[in-house]
């Protein structure tokens, strides 16, 4: 998908459609990952709640840039 998006950049309409497709695919992947995590630890999260929820998970400090 990324290679296709790079090839479509000069065509704005096709590029926008590709971005939408990739966005939908990423949402589906995210929901599947959250559901699987719930299977593993017994938690349940409504997928629509993910859209407006703040990220409350603890992240590895090495991923954050230092000032």
């Amino acid at each position: 998908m990324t290679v296709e998006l790079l090839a479509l950049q000069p065509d704005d309409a096709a590029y926008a459609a590709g971005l939408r497709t990739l966005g939908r695919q990423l949402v589906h992947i995210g929901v599947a990952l959250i559901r699987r995590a719930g299977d593993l630890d017994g938690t349940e999260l409504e997928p629509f709640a993910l859209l407006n929820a703040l990220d409350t998970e603890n992240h590895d400090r090495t991923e954050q840039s230092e000032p």
Side-chain angles (χ1 to χ4, degrees):
M1 189 70 199
T2 303
V3 172
E4 183 177 336
L5 284 173
L6 291 173
L8 292 174
Q9 277 186 337
D11 182 356
D12 288 345
Y15 188 61
L19 288 174
R20 283 187 196 91
T21 298
L22 180 58
R24 281 191 297 271
Q25 291 171 345
L26 291 171
V27 167
H28 287 284
I29 290 168
V31 168
L33 290 171
I34 294 294
R35 286 185 176 156
R36 180 60 182 140
D39 290 344
L40 295 172
D41 66 8
T43 61
E44 188 173 323
L45 180 62
E46 175 63 34
F48 291 110
L50 295 173
L51 297 175
N52 295 322
L54 294 174
D55 185 6
T56 58
E57 295 289 322
N58 291 327
H59 294 286
D60 183 356
R61 294 280 182 204
T62 60
E63 293 179 1
Q64 298 176 357
S65 61
E66 294 291 326

